[in-house]
Amino acid sequence: MTGRFSTRRVTGPDLVPAAENTMLDGESWTVFPDAATEPAAVAAANPLLTDKLLDAKVRLHRKLIEEINLSALEKLPEEEIRGHIQELVSQYVLAERLALNAQELNDFVLEILDEMTGLGPLEPLLKDQSVNDILINGHECVYVERQGMLEPTGVRFKDEAHLLRIINKIVSAVGRRVDESHPMCDARLADGSRVNVAVRPVAIDGPLVSIRKFSKKPYNLNKLVEIGTLRPQMAELLAAAVKARVTLIVSGGTGSGKTTMLNALSTFISEKERLITIEDSAELQLQQPHVGRMETRPPSIEGKGEIRQRELVKNALRMRPDRIIVGECRGEEAFDMLQAMNTGHEGSMSTIHANTTRDAVSRLEQMIGMTGMPMTVASIRGQVAAAIRVIVQLSRLSDGKRRMMSVAEITGLEGDIIQMQEIYKFVRTGVAADGSVQGHFQATGVRPRFLTDLVAMGIKIPASYFDPSQPL
């Protein structure tokens, strides 16, 4: 249910002719002569209005589904579809004696169009550019994230069955399904937004849906510098590392901006290279012309046909890639990914869930151990140290802002310990009165060893970029 129907203000001149009695299924409307009355006051005066209008919308939706040939309707231009639906809605409003003014009638038409051709109550949130995440906890509770902070919305669904219809519309569009036998599912929307769904019996209080929206204009490094995620010197060094085919891992927690950073860094890959991307749900937005995209597949109803990331990484090696980009490394595919990085696919990239750069290395070791191969700890660490050169650590701070917390270089093995050196770090200094985290970026004074690779490619990074006495 969208905010458009959360309140209704009815004035005498605006009432449609058939609504003279201002009745809706036996409930009287409260008439507010002052057009400037606050919407919240209207809802407080008669909270049943929201439910009644939602009931009317769902009834009308079902009626239109029965009467309209949807397959034929989809072939018409959008204006014709709108005109056709508006005519039917107007007739219905008169027949049901709904007290709606012209603007409310137009909103009602938009609601029905969203319900029939889109994702119903979610459409306004999906169109809202300020919303980053949509979090649905059952059909009556919807939250959104704006600028890193969660806030409730007035959006709601008629009932659980209504929410399940929207969920099935989402997952079926990418050839997946969700039901009691398969209660969890990853999917994506047409614009690449990532969707995770959990339904009963694992979701105790009703369906849980998480939608990670993707910006129609992908963030680039300049934009990330502008919003304070990192500093220009850090961005220049990372861009140069990508150009020089330095293998890189982006690490961070959930919602810290790992995929956004991977997208931004990928823009510095040469257009002459062939890229293969491997993901659970396709969400990378690479701008190069020569990109092959692959996606995992869940098992069928019979439990067959599952294709995991590991099989895709193996297959990608036979597809003549210059670089392999794994959207998120989370299991045994880590071994095959490191093998690829060590066998002529330098410059490959991936993301990993970890809280620090050292934790990222430990997680990689654990994931290689999941393959079950008889490898010693020393050989596993040797693979990691030989394959990966740079780890970028991101974090979402308590004020909702994303920061690049650390840029570290793996320098090799000493005994059986992986050696790392930090190049840049974010130093927290306190919390302001408004709750925002205060701090600054700082160079550690260490010059990365891969600078020689950059020089060999004609890329020069000023020595002042690594001077801790110079502000970033």
Side-chain angles (χ1 to χ4, degrees):
M1 183 64 207
T2 67
R4 288 198 292 259
F5 283 2
S6 60
T7 59
R8 281 291 173 259
R9 182 170 58 252
V10 183
T11 59
D14 288 330
L15 292 177
V16 296
E20 294 170 355
N21 296 327
T22 63
M23 298 288 288
L24 178 63
D25 291 329
E27 295 293 338
S28 298
W29 284 60
T30 304
V31 179
F32 294 90
D34 182 6
T37 304
E38 287 294 324
V42 182
N46 194 345
L48 291 176
L49 295 185
T50 295
D51 293 334
K52 294 300 180 181
L53 283 166
L54 184 52
D55 287 340
K57 188 185 76 170
V58 173
R59 287 200 310 272
L60 176 56
H61 175 240
R62 290 174 180 164
K63 181 180 177 67
L64 292 175
I65 291 292
E66 294 171 1
E67 295 182 0
I68 292 177
N69 183 343
L70 285 178
S71 59
L73 192 67
E74 289 173 355
K75 297 176 183 177
L76 296 174
E78 185 176 342
E79 285 302 316
E80 286 190 38
I81 296 176
R82 181 183 172 86
H84 191 53
I85 297 296
Q86 186 152 11
E87 182 181 346
L88 292 172
V89 170
S90 299
Q91 294 173 2
Y92 181 84
V93 166
L94 291 174
E96 291 286 316
R97 304 173 68 80
L98 300 183
L100 304 178
N101 61 33
Q103 180 59 47
E104 292 166 339
L105 179 62
N106 184 59
D107 289 345
F108 198 80
V109 171
L110 289 175
E111 289 278 353
I112 295 300
L113 281 170
D114 287 343
E115 194 71 37
M116 296 183 68
T117 61
L119 299 179
L122 294 179
E123 286 292 335
L125 298 181
L126 292 171
K127 293 172 183 175
D128 187 344
Q129 296 298 312
S130 68
V131 172
N132 299 321
D133 286 75
I134 303 171
L135 307 170
I136 303 171
N137 307 324
H139 67 279
E140 291 186 321
C141 180
V142 180
Y143 280 77
V144 297
E145 181 197 288
R146 285 189 173 94
Q147 298 180 344
M149 305 302 288
L150 292 176
E151 57 185 66
T153 72
V155 173
R156 54 181 296 204
F157 298 82
K158 160 67 178 171
D159 50 30
E160 190 170 317
H162 183 200
L163 175 54
L164 284 171
R165 283 200 300 274
I166 300 297
I167 290 172
N168 283 317
K169 186 181 288 189
I170 293 171
V171 301
S172 62
V174 291
R176 303 193 175 189
R177 65 190 180 87
V178 60
D179 52 35
E180 286 188 2
S181 59
H182 291 81
M184 295 183 293
C185 178
D186 284 318
R188 67 179 185 278
L189 301 180
D191 64 357
S193 297
R194 184 173 63 196
V195 182
N196 178 268
V197 175
V199 300
R200 297 181 192 272
V202 298
I204 299 171
D205 299 318
L208 299 173
V209 183
S210 305
I211 301 176
R212 172 69 52 79
K213 284 178 59 182
F214 268 33
S215 173
K216 289 182 170 55
K217 293 183 179 179
Y219 278 72
N220 54 33
L221 275 186
N222 289 334
K223 180 66 174 177
L224 293 175
V225 168
E226 194 178 302
I227 64 176
T229 300
L230 71 167
R231 287 290 180 262
Q233 296 91 328
M234 302 164 70
E236 189 175 334
L237 178 68
L238 292 176
V242 172
K243 290 178 184 176
R245 297 178 65 91
V246 173
T247 304
L248 185 143
I249 295 287
V250 180
S251 168
T254 301
S256 58
K258 299 185 298 298
T259 304
T260 298
M261 179 60 65
L262 195 62
N263 273 323
L265 292 174
S266 70
T267 60
F268 297 96
I269 298 175
S270 170
E271 293 188 355
K272 297 178 181 178
E273 296 183 37
R274 172 171 167 80
L275 310 180
I276 300 294
T277 68
I278 296 165
E279 302 172 82
D280 269 337
S281 291
E283 51 185 317
L284 290 172
Q285 299 169 298
L286 304 189
Q287 308 302 309
Q288 284 73 13
H290 198 161
V291 178
R293 306 169 73 208
M294 293 196 291
E295 184 180 59
T296 60
R297 190 179 78 176
S300 63
I301 297 176
E302 296 80 17
K304 300 178 181 178
E306 180 182 14
I307 299 177
R308 300 172 300 171
Q309 283 197 3
R310 186 173 189 188
E311 283 84 38
L312 293 179
V313 173
K314 288 180 179 177
N315 191 73
L317 295 175
R318 305 184 182 102
M319 301 173 71
R320 199 248 171 240
D322 288 303
R323 305 194 200 205
I324 296 174
I325 300 179
V326 180
E328 183 178 336
C329 193
R330 64 179 71 177
E332 54 194 15
E333 68 274 2
F335 175 75
D336 301 282
M337 182 187 72
L338 291 180
Q339 290 286 84
M341 292 174 175
N342 277 323
T343 54
H345 301 91
E346 297 88 353
S348 295
M349 296 187 286
S350 181
T351 70
I352 188 171
H353 275 272
N355 293 326
T356 66
T357 53
R358 180 61 68 178
D359 285 347
V361 172
S362 298
R363 283 216 65 209
L364 278 172
E365 294 174 14
Q366 293 165 6
M367 289 187 283
I368 293 172
M370 292 168 65
T371 60
M373 293 185 177
M375 298 177 65
T376 64
V377 172
S379 64
I380 290 175
R381 290 178 178 173
Q383 287 272 352
V384 173
I388 298 170
R389 302 285 299 280
V390 175
I391 300 178
V392 175
Q393 181 68 39
L394 300 171
S395 181
R396 181 173 62 177
L397 304 180
S398 57
D399 59 2
K401 295 178 181 176
R402 278 84 169 173
R403 291 287 184 270
M404 185 174 288
M405 303 302 292
S406 176
V407 177
E409 180 186 29
I410 294 179
T411 57
L413 277 177
E414 188 172 310
D416 60 352
I417 303 299
I418 294 176
Q419 298 299 305
M420 299 175 64
Q421 58 183 15
E422 193 171 40
I423 302 168
Y424 294 111
K425 62 182 178 180
F426 178 76
V427 181
R428 303 189 202 196
T429 57
V431 179
D434 61 357
S436 61
V437 175
Q438 296 178 317
H440 61 273
F441 293 94
Q442 180 180 324
T444 62
V446 174
R447 289 171 60 88
R449 294 188 182 181
F450 62 80
L451 283 181
T452 55
D453 296 340
L454 304 187
V455 172
M457 294 192 66
I459 303 172
K460 294 184 179 180
I461 302 294
S464 60
Y465 284 13
F466 310 106
D467 186 349
S469 64
Q470 297 289 327
L472 291 178

